[in-house]
């Protein structure tokens, strides 16, 4: 009889796919937006190869491109005006949207108060995330560590410029193991009647060129206003987030690039207003020119 042998099927080799996640930003409480955790999205390998070939595409620029794809939220937190309402514990928040959630974000760097979550005070934080869609709810809590951990949370307010919404999340309860129901984290939904709606913001890429002459650089707080047609203009916006950045940027013969979310002034920018607030030892500034690109969600 005819004997046949069965051979094992040849294993298919799959080329490993390499993902590139540029960051080029601080993970530090005292730097940038104060976040110590970031969500990164992958970029095409070709961009990184361009960088290695000195083709004009820097990793720093890739970091800014990632920032342009992100959504920035301003989170305000009100601690109640009750005895022992403040907390020394580490507070965290998670934002839940119709598409995704932000994951756990530590609220480390308040823009208003050095001592966070004190009785009767409002603290402000920046939370940056990939697009999670329309905000549906939040989870906020603390790790119950420290000397004074119990916390009375009055409310949370979240401003989402890319959505054109400012939402209020009322709480008015203790997050304390020995008060109320003993919970130290709560899920809170927005109060629809307290939601403010406005025209959504869009990201602009703003590149600032400081001149190459003696004393051209500045440590002052540089701001910008964009003007479109029909009298539409943006708010006055500082390009630096803090004094450390003011000292880092706008040096002589430097090029500094920023991604800033501002009101949409339309397809045509008729003029800009740029300046600084003076003060300090080295406030005088010699500006060469400014380049601005309006970044739309479809990448145009």
């Amino acid at each position: 009889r005819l004997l046949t042998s069965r051979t094992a099927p040849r294993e298919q080799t799959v080329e490993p796919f390499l993902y590139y996640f540029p960051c080029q930003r601080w993970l530090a409480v005292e730097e940038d937006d104060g976040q110590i955790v970031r969500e990164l999205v992958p970029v095409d390998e070709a961009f990184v190869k361009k960088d290695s070939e000195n083709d004009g595409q820097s990793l720093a620029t890739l970091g800014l491109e990632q920032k342009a794809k992100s959504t920035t939220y301003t989170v305000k937190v009100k601690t109640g005006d009750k005895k022992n309402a403040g907390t020394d514990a580490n507070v965290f928040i998670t934002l839940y949207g119709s598409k995704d959630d932000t994951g756990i974000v530590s609220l480390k760097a308040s823009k208003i108060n050095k001592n966070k979550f004190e009785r009767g005070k409002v603290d402000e934080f920046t939370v940056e995330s990939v697009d999670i869609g329309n905000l549906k709810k939040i989870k906020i809590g603390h790790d119950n560590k420290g000397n004074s951990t119990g916390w009375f949370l009055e409310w949370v307010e979240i401003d989402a410029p890319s959505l054109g919404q400012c939402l209020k999340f009322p709480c008015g309860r203790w997050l304390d193991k020995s008060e109320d129901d003993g919970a130290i984290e709560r899920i809170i939904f927005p109060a629809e009647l307290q939601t403010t709606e406005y025209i959504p913001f869009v990201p602009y890429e703003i590149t600032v060129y400081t001149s190459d002459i003696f004393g051209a650089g500045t440590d002052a707080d540089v701001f910008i206003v964009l003007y479109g047609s029909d009298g539409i203009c943006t708010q006055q916006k500082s390009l630096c987030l803090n004094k450390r950045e003011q000292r880092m940027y706008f040096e002589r013969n430097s090029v500094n690039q920023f991604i800033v979310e501002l009101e949409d002034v339309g397809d045509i920018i008729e003029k800009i207003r740029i300046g600084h607030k003076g003060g300090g030892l080295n406030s005088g500034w010699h500006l060469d020119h400014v380049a601005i690109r309006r970044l739309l969600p479809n990448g145009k």
Side-chain angles (χ1 to χ4, degrees):
R1 63 182 175 181
L2 184 64
L3 296 176
T4 59
S5 63
R6 297 183 63 189
T7 56
R10 182 182 295 177
E11 289 187 7
Q12 290 185 338
T13 57
V14 179
E15 283 292 320
F17 190 85
L18 190 58
Y19 291 84
Y20 292 91
F21 295 87
C23 183
Q24 297 296 309
R25 296 181 64 188
W26 285 98
L27 283 79
V29 172
E30 69 280 1
E31 300 283 1
D32 203 337
D33 57 6
Q35 290 301 320
I36 57 174
V37 177
R38 297 200 180 281
E39 288 190 356
L40 304 178
V41 294
V43 300
D44 194 285
E45 181 182 1
F47 285 111
V48 181
K49 285 184 176 178
K50 279 185 181 180
D51 178 59
S52 63
E53 294 166 4
N54 296 317
D55 201 16
Q57 178 73 35
S58 70
L59 279 174
T61 302
L62 284 174
L64 286 169
E65 289 292 338
Q66 278 206 331
K67 187 173 181 180
K69 293 178 183 177
S70 300
T71 300
T72 302
Y73 303 92
T74 298
V75 178
K76 292 184 179 179
V77 180
K78 172 68 182 295
T79 299
D81 191 8
K82 290 177 176 286
K83 185 179 180 181
N84 299 322
T87 185
D88 295 329
N90 297 303
V91 175
F92 61 83
I93 191 170
T94 303
L95 280 56
Y96 295 88
S98 55
K99 299 178 183 177
D100 202 350
D101 65 73
T102 60
I104 297 173
V105 178
S106 297
L107 299 181
K108 290 281 189 182
S110 174
K111 292 184 176 181
I112 301 175
N113 305 304
K114 186 175 181 180
N115 294 322
K116 309 180 295 294
F117 311 118
E118 295 292 308
R119 173 179 175 176
K121 300 289 186 180
V122 175
D123 291 287
E124 183 178 317
F125 305 88
T126 298
V127 173
E128 196 173 287
S129 169
V130 296
D131 181 18
I132 62 171
N134 293 323
L135 277 173
K136 297 297 184 182
K137 64 182 180 181
I138 63 172
K139 180 165 69 175
I140 188 166
H142 61 77
D143 61 3
N144 205 45
K145 293 181 179 179
N147 295 323
S148 177
T149 59
W151 184 35
F152 190 89
L153 172 62
E154 195 69 56
W155 49 256
V156 177
E157 183 182 272
I158 300 179
D159 190 8
S162 64
L163 299 175
Q165 285 187 329
C166 185
L167 301 96
K168 197 74 163 279
F169 295 80
C171 181
R173 296 182 68 178
W174 286 97
L175 284 78
D176 189 337
K177 287 194 171 182
S178 59
E179 296 281 356
D180 203 333
D181 60 359
I184 58 172
E185 65 177 40
R186 298 196 181 279
I187 292 176
I188 313 173
F189 295 88
E192 290 186 14
L193 295 178
Q194 296 183 46
T195 297
T196 304
E197 303 215 1
Y198 55 91
I199 298 173
F201 284 24
V202 297
Y204 288 89
E205 177 190 271
I206 299 173
T207 309
V208 180
Y209 297 79
T210 298
S211 303
D212 186 16
I213 64 172
F214 178 75
T218 184
D219 292 335
D221 184 5
V222 174
F223 62 82
I224 195 167
V225 182
L226 311 185
Y227 294 83
S229 57
D230 301 323
I232 300 173
C233 70
T234 70
Q235 61 181 297
Q236 180 173 301
K237 181 74 172 181
S238 292
L239 294 178
C240 292
L241 294 171
N242 51 49
K243 289 185 178 179
R244 285 175 180 264
E245 288 194 359
Q246 290 174 29
R247 291 193 294 268
M248 286 170 54
Y249 299 139
F250 312 119
E251 296 294 308
R252 173 180 174 174
N253 194 31
S254 67
V255 180
N256 302 118
Q257 201 167 61
F258 306 88
I259 301 293
V260 183
E261 285 183 311
L262 292 168
E263 296 91 340
D264 189 355
V265 298
D267 294 328
I268 299 173
I269 301 175
E270 292 195 341
K271 66 176 181 179
I272 67 170
R273 182 170 178 261
I274 188 167
H276 62 77
K277 299 177 182 178
L281 297 175
N282 304 302
S283 62
W285 184 35
H286 198 285
L287 172 63
D288 190 87
H289 68 281
V290 179
I292 300 178
R293 183 163 64 108
R294 178 172 172 250
L295 304 175
L296 297 178
N298 58 10
K300 292 184 179 178

